[in-house]
Amino acid sequence: MPKIKPRIPMGEQPPMERITNFNSVPYGYTEDQAVEEAARCIQCKKPRCEPACPVTIGIKEMNLLIAERKFKEAYLLVKEDNAFPACSGRVCPQEKQCEGACILEKFDQPIAIGKLEAFIADWGRTHKVEVEEIKANNEDKHIAIVGSGPAGLACAAECRRYGYAVTIYETLHKAGGVLVYGIPEFRLPKAIVEKEIEHLEEMGVKIELNHTVGQNIYYYELVSQNDAVFLAMGAGAPKFMGIPGENPMDNVYSSNEFLIRANLMKAYKFPEWDTPINCGNKVAVIGAGNVAMDAARTAKRLGANEVHIIYRRTKEQAPARKEELHHALEEGIIFHELVNPIKFHGDDDGFIDYMELTRMELVEGEDGRISPKPIEGSTFYMECDTVIEALGTVPNRLFLDRAPDIERDDRGVIIIDENHMTSVEGTFAGGDASSGAATVIKALGEGKRAARAIHAYISTHDTSHRQEVQRVEV
Amino acid sequence: MSFDITKMIDLDTMDFLVDVEAPEIVERFHPGQFVMLMTRKEGERIPMSVMKAENGKLTMFIRKLGKTSKELRDGMTRFENVIGPLGHGIEEKVYGNVVVVSDAVCGQAENYAICEALSKIEGNRITSIQTFPSKKEIYPEDYLTTELVDKHIITTEDGSFGEEGSYIVPLQKMIDEGEEIDFVFGGGKLPTMKAVSTVLAKNNIDNLFTTRQMMVDGSGMCGACRLYIDGEMKLACVDGPMFDSRKVNWDKAIKRYHMFKKKEKEANDYYEAHKGGCGQCQK
Ligand SMILES: Cc1cc2nc3c(=O)[nH]c(=O)nc-3n(C[C@H](O)[C@H](O)[C@H](O)COP(=O)(O)OP(=O)(O)OC[C@H]3O[C@@H](n4cnc5c(N)ncnc54)[C@H](O)[C@@H]3O)c2cc1C
Ligand code: FES
């Protein structure tokens, strides 16, 4: 076996210290650390990491440039394929993508591609590297983008490069989508997202906050006033278990509510900030994805003594990023596998008191799929004073109800063709809105690809004739 | 955008009337809809009823409880943010014999907006019943619905003016006297809404009441405002804010209203301790 130099470890806040604050857990590589880590790259002839990247960043060359301390060049290279590397470097499930494909993964020491990506993004931002941007002037053509999450932002950046007049409509009072309302500060510092968005505005992208398309501005208006529309509303509506006792019981939250309060509304700074959050001492988080980990780790930081993850499958099957799960366990979060809540019990004031759960086993169904099934007679109880349901999210029907022309499947996921166009000519979609809940990098990639499709469409069609759509209002 | 406060009137011992510049919202507003208000950057997104939306200004009643009203009293001149209009408005059509009832600050605002809209439509006969705690809390004439409606009734909870009791008392009387009521709109305190819902159910009267739910985003993303209508989960912000009172699970809604009671006190105390500018708190 060849001798493999181990990965350069990332400095991190120690677990017991970081659960008392919301600051970033990793400190980030120093220049020297980054150089050393990048130099571990063996520069494969046919790099396996690049095709495994949803936006095919030139990873091999990035590593080489960093190793040679050509940071500016490395930054420009990454920016070419990814407008928001500081975000994706921190939140991508690298173990399933680039790092999972890295040849050194065989020795359990893949190149820390995500950390290098974040390093180079931070370097470029702090050194104010100018990226050559707007390539043409097409400002007589207007593009409306619905939603300012990664898909919307990436599409806006790319459309602006083609010179179009771009306006993003965002329902919340802050742009960024899940990057600002969902993913917590300790994983993705909001100042970084803000900088990226500021930069977009400097490029000339207009962002109309507090504009809910389908509510205080209508889809048909966007269609009639723009040459193309891009739908990037995400899949941001919560799911609930729908078990007895839930109907709304106090201190039972959707992960969305819990995280919006904590992140967007900064409830962790209450009462200095006005939005409250009740986070008790014994918190149960249902689910084991990224969202569940974020909620659990947030609860810990809000002062909960015990935080329990309740998952109906096994720990190995948890869909969360590996690093997330690892960080959560380090922080003392208790993982219960193969269990599922079946009933919530409240106290006299309507607050959650304890849960009734059942144990689960993995059973192979007739179709060969292995799924968790309740074990009869295995009911048990667990006290808790806060429950967070992190069961995944679905598309928000607010928009869909008022845009009946847009074809969607029965889950509300918008149907698109290979050019990201929806059933309405001139209206495109991308990100979670057209894929169902997925990842930041997929949304970034789709936003960019859609922008290219929009550019191709506008360049070859007379967009002054617009498809008629129904005028549905509230 | 600047959400300047252009008028602030101390209405009585309980509420302020506030005018805020928000032309974009005014242009699209329908009676029954609501807005969300952030007083400052660090503010909460507070759902607010709207009394009037005209000349580029929104008029709202704000209760002198809690932190927001203290900020107002302490000289706030603009809001950080006003968001809306949100939710569904009422259908502006001929209902026939309509009764509009209210017994709290938010309800009074909706009452006004609804009466004003329906009074413009030929064929509606409107009775408005407005309930106040006592005589001294009754709004000045200009802010009551007296001039808009065919019949205006005031009740007070302590009987110091008009009939004693809630709006249910005169409503029940109308029913008992055999008056045909085609529709009831209402809003205000949750327990009264719960009580009136049984009266309306018994007499089979169609109605829409504004359920007062806590909200965070106001656009269907968080589920904080969820309530159960005929056993089915609905969101007050997207599907409401008005629902048929007969179908609402009021007990759940009432309990939920108190979820952040302790926190409210904390916020108040914090504000009181930090507003002075003495710097003591910074140490
Ligand atoms: C808590 C949490 C943690 C996550 N962690 C990770 C992770 O570690 N790694 C990863 O890769 N992925 C993660 N994800 C998934 C990832 O965030 C999403 O896949 C990604 O954000 C999708 O991007 P988007 O642009 O499609 O949608 P979103 O980011 O959801 O943005 C949609 C935007 O549209 C706005 N909007 C919605 N409806 C309207 C309307 N009608 N009018 C105007 N605006 C509207 C919303 O307010 C929102 O700002 C996480 C998700 C959550 C919730
Ligand atoms: S306020 Fe969040 S869903 Fe209604």
Side-chain angles (χ1 to χ4, degrees):
Chain A
M1 196 159 108
K3 231 180 133 65
I4 299 294
K5 250 175 106 180
R7 239 168 127 127
I8 305 297
M10 168 69 81
E12 284 175 353
Q13 280 197 75
M16 288 310 118
E17 180 185 315
R18 70 190 187 227
I19 58 171
T20 63
N21 65 55
F22 275 79
N23 301 337
S24 173
V25 170
Y27 297 134
Y29 276 153
T30 61
E31 288 188 7
D32 290 343
Q33 286 174 321
V35 168
E36 205 179 326
E37 176 63 17
R40 288 202 314 120
C41 173
I42 58 170
Q43 296 288 309
C44 306
K45 237 192 212 97
K46 274 204 191 126
R48 293 153 39 119
C49 51
E50 292 179 10
C53 170
V55 297
T56 44
I57 294 177
I59 298 168
K60 175 180 164 184
E61 201 182 338
M62 172 185 89
N63 289 345
L64 186 65
L65 290 168
I66 295 176
E68 291 173 349
R69 290 189 177 268
K70 293 183 179 151
F71 300 136
K72 185 175 165 190
E73 288 79 358
Y75 175 70
L76 292 174
L77 175 88
V78 172
K79 278 291 258 193
E80 220 168 89
D81 296 305
N82 181 359
F84 302 93
C87 301
S88 50
R90 287 177 168 83
V91 303
C92 267
Q94 285 95 1
E95 71 276 7
K96 293 185 192 133
Q97 303 172 7
C98 52
E99 294 180 19
C102 174
I103 193 92
L104 299 182
E105 155 69 17
K106 289 210 171 67
F107 310 97
D108 228 14
Q109 298 294 334
I111 303 294
I113 300 168
K115 300 201 160 58
L116 289 172
E117 185 191 11
F119 161 79
I120 206 65
D122 293 349
W123 192 95
R125 190 178 65 251
T126 46
H127 289 78
K128 301 199 165 53
V129 176
E130 295 263 341
V131 183
E132 191 253 316
E133 276 174 340
I134 298 160
K135 297 177 193 150
N137 186 344
N138 284 312
E139 292 204 3
D140 56 326
K141 297 275 195 271
H142 295 259
I143 295 166
I145 295 177
V146 187
S148 66
L153 294 174
C155 182
E158 192 70 4
C159 285
R160 197 56 204 125
R161 288 200 183 132
Y162 292 120
Y164 298 113
V166 180
T167 308
I168 302 181
Y169 296 90
E170 167 57 50
T171 177
L172 294 172
H173 61 273
K174 212 165 159 60
V178 171
L179 304 179
V180 300
Y181 81 71
I183 301 179
E185 178 76 21
F186 53 83
R187 207 147 70 81
L188 180 61
K190 300 306 150 225
I192 292 178
V193 185
E194 275 161 25
K195 265 271 169 296
E196 304 268 4
I197 291 169
E198 248 169 57
H199 177 72
L200 215 58
E201 288 184 293
E202 280 161 17
M203 274 173 78
V205 172
K206 243 175 93 182
I207 303 183
E208 294 280 12
L209 301 172
N210 308 322
H211 281 69
T212 315
V213 179
Q215 177 66 44
N216 56 11
I217 179 162
Y218 294 110
Y219 168 61
Y220 75 80
E221 296 177 286
L222 299 187
V223 170
S224 68
Q225 292 158 10
N226 292 278
D227 297 273
V229 177
F230 181 58
L231 305 176
M233 293 90 52
K239 275 202 285 208
F240 289 94
M241 302 219 46
I243 60 176
E246 177 182 61
N247 314 355
M249 188 171 285
D250 290 349
N251 288 5
V252 174
Y253 300 91
S254 72
S255 51
N256 265 18
E257 178 183 353
F258 195 80
L259 291 170
I260 292 176
R261 284 184 187 274
N263 295 319
L264 179 72
M265 307 309 295
K266 303 246 184 294
Y268 63 89
K269 294 187 178 169
F270 181 87
E272 202 181 315
W273 285 57
D274 296 344
T275 303
I277 196 164
N278 286 340
C279 181
N281 262 326
K282 193 161 176 189
V283 178
V285 179
I286 302 163
N290 285 324
V291 185
M293 299 305 144
D294 284 344
R297 298 175 70 197
T298 298
K300 198 82 197 175
R301 283 159 176 76
L302 287 168
N305 271 340
E306 274 177 35
V307 180
H308 300 262
I309 295 262
I310 309 290
Y311 189 43
R312 60 199 184 106
R313 297 169 186 269
T314 63
K315 202 196 269 176
E316 285 63 46
Q317 292 171 303
R321 287 178 82 215
K322 208 163 121 198
E323 190 183 19
E324 274 280 279
L325 182 58
H326 167 74
H327 277 153
L329 296 174
E330 268 187 353
E331 288 166 11
I333 283 153
I334 306 157
F335 200 107
H336 303 261
E337 52 183 10
L338 294 168
V339 290
N340 204 30
I342 48 176
K343 191 170 180 183
F344 294 133
H345 295 267
D347 64 15
D348 292 343
D349 296 325
F351 283 83
I352 179 85
D353 197 10
Y354 63 98
M355 282 194 297
E356 198 169 326
L357 304 103
T358 175
R359 299 200 186 278
M360 309 290 280
E361 59 187 341
L362 294 177
V363 182
E364 195 178 322
E366 274 168 24
D367 54 357
R369 274 188 46 176
I370 294 174
S371 51
K373 293 266 152 45
I375 302 175
E376 222 173 290
S378 67
T379 305
F380 66 106
Y381 299 91
M382 184 176 163
E383 260 182 59
C384 55
D385 52 16
T386 306
V387 169
I388 305 165
E389 299 189 34
L391 309 168
T393 50
V394 290
N396 190 334
R397 61 195 154 80
L398 184 148
F399 171 84
L400 294 169
D401 284 354
R402 291 146 205 178
D405 298 272
I406 304 285
E407 268 179 41
R408 75 294 303 261
D409 69 11
D410 47 13
R411 294 169 302 158
V413 175
I414 295 172
I415 296 167
I416 50 174
D417 68 12
E418 64 285 1
N419 292 317
H420 282 272
M421 204 189 287
T422 66
S423 52
V424 175
E425 187 180 327
T427 295
F428 298 75
D432 284 2
S434 58
S435 66
T439 60
V440 169
I441 195 69
K442 266 194 75 186
L444 287 170
E446 290 179 15
K448 183 164 184 171
R449 268 198 303 284
R452 290 185 181 150
I454 290 170
H455 176 53
Y457 171 75
I458 294 182
S459 316
T460 54
H461 288 75
D462 175 8
T463 52
S464 59
H465 295 289
R466 299 191 182 132
Q467 183 173 332
E468 282 279 323
V469 293
Q470 291 178 52
R471 298 167 63 102
V472 184
E473 301 191 355
V474 279
Chain B
M1 205 175 317
S2 132
F3 299 103
D4 289 334
I5 298 171
T6 56
K7 184 153 97 189
M8 194 179 95
I9 300 174
D10 196 339
L11 281 184
D12 58 48
T13 53
M14 289 187 74
D15 304 318
F16 284 120
L17 173 138
V18 174
D19 269 8
V20 58
E21 197 99 46
E24 260 192 64
I25 299 175
V26 169
E27 203 181 304
R28 290 177 177 243
F29 182 82
H30 295 288
Q33 287 188 299
F34 65 100
V35 297
M36 290 190 108
L37 188 71
M38 289 176 76
T39 56
R40 55 190 194 122
K41 187 171 113 283
E42 298 84 359
E44 204 178 345
R45 294 167 63 105
I46 311 164
M48 279 279 164
S49 301
V50 174
M51 173 212 177
K52 238 186 214 180
E54 58 185 33
N55 305 324
K57 293 183 189 71
L58 291 172
T59 307
M60 298 175 275
F61 295 137
I62 297 182
R63 176 122 305 176
K64 287 184 201 163
L65 260 175
K67 201 171 135 192
T68 310
S69 61
K70 287 189 179 139
E71 289 169 334
L72 280 173
R73 199 160 45 204
D74 292 339
M76 180 166 273
T77 57
R78 58 176 297 273
F79 294 130
E80 169 72 18
N81 212 345
V82 186
I83 303 151
L86 302 171
H88 293 267
I90 62 162
E91 252 186 281
E92 294 175 49
K93 63 170 191 188
V94 181
Y95 289 88
N97 198 12
V98 193
V99 183
V100 189
V101 300
S102 55
D103 67 346
V105 55
C106 40
Q108 309 293 15
E110 288 138 15
N111 186 320
Y112 194 99
I114 291 169
C115 287
E116 187 168 48
L118 296 188
S119 66
K120 287 181 189 146
I121 299 166
E122 188 94 36
N124 283 324
R125 187 183 180 280
I126 311 169
T127 304
S128 166
I129 313 173
Q130 296 189 275
T131 300
F132 296 89
S134 72
K135 185 174 178 204
K136 64 179 191 298
E137 281 98 8
I138 299 172
Y139 290 169
E141 196 63 28
D142 283 355
Y143 309 109
L144 294 174
T145 44
T146 326
E147 297 298 315
L148 300 171
V149 297
D150 301 282
K151 191 167 157 204
H152 188 255
I153 300 170
I154 290 180
T155 78
T156 52
E157 282 158 9
D158 68 353
S160 52
F161 186 92
E163 206 144 356
E164 179 177 338
S166 78
Y167 55 71
I168 300 179
V169 177
L171 180 68
Q172 185 70 57
K173 201 180 278 170
M174 287 169 78
I175 295 169
D176 293 343
E177 284 166 2
E179 196 170 323
E180 281 291 329
I181 300 172
D182 296 305
F183 209 96
V184 177
F185 287 102
K189 295 179 185 167
L190 292 165
T192 331
M193 291 198 246
K194 180 188 168 189
V196 79
S197 70
T198 44
V199 176
L200 296 169
K202 207 158 103 200
N203 296 283
N204 212 0
I205 301 173
D206 288 335
N207 67 88
L208 281 173
F209 275 70
T210 302
T211 48
R212 209 123 304 284
Q213 290 297 295
M214 66 170 172
M215 294 188 186
V216 184
D217 63 297
S219 58
M221 293 165 74
C222 73
C225 66
R226 66 193 185 277
L227 37 79
Y228 286 76
I229 307 292
D230 257 353
E232 199 188 328
M233 191 185 93
K234 295 277 178 198
L235 298 175
C237 65
V238 175
D239 304 307
M242 305 186 107
F243 294 99
D244 184 335
S245 73
R246 294 169 293 186
K247 298 182 176 170
V248 176
N249 183 336
W250 289 107
D251 289 330
K252 293 279 187 191
I254 291 168
K255 276 189 177 160
R256 197 163 168 75
Y257 198 66
H258 299 290
M259 177 160 163
F260 289 110
K261 265 275 157 333
K262 280 189 201 143
K263 293 281 180 183
E264 271 164 38
K265 188 173 173 321
E266 219 180 296
N268 259 317
D269 293 349
Y270 180 88
Y271 180 76
E272 286 298 338
H274 291 70
K275 69 173 185 192
C278 67
Q280 204 59 26
C281 55
Q282 309 289 340
K283 285 184 186 150

